[in-house]
Amino acid sequence: MTADNHTALCVLGTGLIGGSLLRAAAAAGYTGWGYNRSAPGVAAAQEAGFDVSGDLPAVLGRAAETDALIVVAVPMPAVNPMLDAIAQYAPQCPLTDVVSVKSPVAAAVRRYGLQERYVGGHPMAGTAESGWQATDPGLFRGAAWAVGVDPGTDPYAWTRVTRLALDCGSVVVPVTASEHDRAVARISHLPHVLAEALAVAGARGGDLALGLAAGSFRDGTRVAATAPGLVRAICEPNSDALLAVLDETLTALTEAREALSAQTSLDELTAAGHAARQRYESAQRWEITDTEPGAPGWLEKLRDAGRTGGVITRLGTGAEPN
Amino acid sequence: MTADNHTALCVLGTGLIGGSLLRAAAAAGYTGWGYNRSAPGVAAAQEAGFDVSGDLPAVLGRAAETDALIVVAVPMPAVNPMLDAIAQYAPQCPLTDVVSVKSPVAAAVRRYGLQERYVGGHPMAGTAESGWQATDPGLFRGAAWAVGVDPGTDPYAWTRVTRLALDCGSVVVPVTASEHDRAVARISHLPHVLAEALAVAGARGGDLALGLAAGSFRDGTRVAATAPGLVRAICEPNSDALLAVLDETLTALTEAREALSAQTSLDELTAAGHAARQRYESAQRWEITDTEPGAPGWLEKLRDAGRTGGVITRLGTGAEPN
């Protein structure tokens, strides 16, 4: 962990992501505690030795006393009640979230008047599993963790959030809420939609088709194993961006269909797809070294860096905000 | 290897599949040799100690002398010249292939008058790699290997092909050419098409999107790393079946798009996709135990068994054809 006396962490929701975060932060030396709505979820975390309870006012009261960083780690449909309680019990704490979509969370944060200390976050990690049983303190190691750089972002809160991500082993991708949402529609939400459609097409082939299925079908449908409710909670709040990229993809697939029908050719699609996958495989992250939270133009600089593959891998002393 | 004196094997094309087959069969005690068109391909196989040459008439002459099982292991566009040479130099040998589509190969086999000793085959194994360097004698272990049971199939040739698949560690799925082609359109060719489209959509998001991409994008685009020419050689000869399932999928995606747009809901797609993936994960193969090649109705029995998940894992003495 980096030298910092702000190691109090309050995690609301201790499922796969929140629970893994609590475990990763504890391993990095943080003092963490959390809230979970379900009694079995609380019991599972407590059995593992973590300070998790179902008493939300108490959990948030402790956060207010210690200037803890509060992390909202519940699915989008459950965000409002958390913000409501935060506004009541701990409105001054730095606040972030790990929800898969950022603009709707930011809008909700504004509705509850919590925007001043809020910085959106999204660790790009997960599995098809869920619940405390699936938590893993190494879940975020090597992952990209999107951290918001929208206009007006508070440097202090931003530094707390970025430190947490780095201390959990992630690299930080600075990105605005709307650009984040458009990007994840492409690389997370569309993959879910296509995986569901592929699984359906395969199963319609019956036992014979499923018995012949090998790697391409297994990998292409892996995320269809995710609970439908979770997929909906991830994708539906991002419907505008998802619709745009889904339409783009329907157009591309329809063009490929026409070329296959008219010329028995998949030339264009396979050439473009292969080039795209090559670009993905060879994409290089580069390190942003001059991060100075609060310096003039720092948000724009970070946003531009993130757009071209820049990531933050450490915060120097120059990154200590006032 | 099962007790059988027919262990002569002639492989035409020693790339990923053909080369792996030569190595797997050698490990199982077969006497195998092969042909490869490219001099570097021949050299690579020879350096590894395998009897591979570029002299097709000699390779096939040896097959004719020893009643070898001939395996056509070239992509669909290169099949005709192989069949032409077989018709000239070794027309009496039992003949199979490992091409990814079966009806077009069967039609070509008929054009060359080789249908009497031909039994189609398709091991459901592979990687995005190609060439001798990528060969692996364990490639077929645990894989499903489709073996043809079309009307008129010769029991002797069928047994030779089935034994080879079993000796390479695969289980045999009995299936007719047209049912095979419809099934693989669903579980192999459609996955390729969707992976290409997903890769394109991701790359259009630029460095930011690709930098945020994690498991769902990586797995969903894996097969887009396959050389475009190989994807085309796999998919284009099966265009009728692929178009049918592609249209089905375009309809499903368009319906999902409408539901997302009108009701902000992916309920139907995610429920169906999750159920389909669960069905795939829980699909059970069952063992066909009463295989009697040549017995009355044997082909229909095998075809029906294959349709409901039946596989052949061994051939008993009752499976020795006359």
Side-chain angles (χ1 to χ4, degrees), chain A residues 219 222 236 247 257 266, chain B residues 201 219 222 236 247 257 266:
Chain A
D219 289 357
R222 183 181 61 80
E236 291 172 359
D247 282 344
R257 186 238 175 272
L266 287 173
Chain B
D219 289 356
R222 184 182 59 82
E236 291 172 359
D247 283 344
R257 186 238 175 271
L266 286 173

Side-chain angles (χ1 to χ4, degrees), chain A residues 133-227:
Chain A
Q133 285 70 20
T135 61
D136 171 8
L139 186 65
F140 310 106
R141 215 170 287 140
W145 191 313
V147 174
V149 287
D150 291 84
T153 295
D154 172 46
Y156 170 75
W158 184 89
T159 304
R160 291 282 296 270
V161 175
T162 297
R163 273 206 200 294
L164 175 66
L166 297 176
D167 288 337
C168 290
S170 294
V171 300
V172 166
V173 176
V175 61
T176 64
S178 60
E179 289 185 41
H180 167 276
D181 291 354
R182 287 197 295 271
V184 296
R186 292 181 181 278
I187 53 82
S188 171
H189 304 171
L190 181 64
H192 273 97
V193 168
L194 294 183
E196 308 280 11
L198 178 57
V200 169
R204 277 193 191 151
D207 290 328
L208 177 64
L210 293 178
L212 289 172
S216 64
F217 185 78
R218 184 182 59 240
D219 289 357
T221 60
R222 183 181 61 80
V223 293
T226 311

Side-chain angles (χ1 to χ4, degrees), chain A residues 8-10 33 59-71 86-87 89-96 109 113-119 154 156-157 160-161:
Chain A
L9 182 73
C10 172
W33 66 94
V59 162
L60 287 172
R62 183 174 168 193
E65 282 161 24
T66 56
D67 189 35
L69 172 61
I70 299 175
V71 183
I86 294 166
Y89 298 106
Q92 304 304 322
C93 286
L95 173 64
T96 188
V109 162
L114 295 166
Q115 65 275 15
E116 264 181 48
R117 310 304 287 282
Y118 170 72
V119 179
D154 172 46
Y156 170 75
R160 291 282 296 270
V161 175

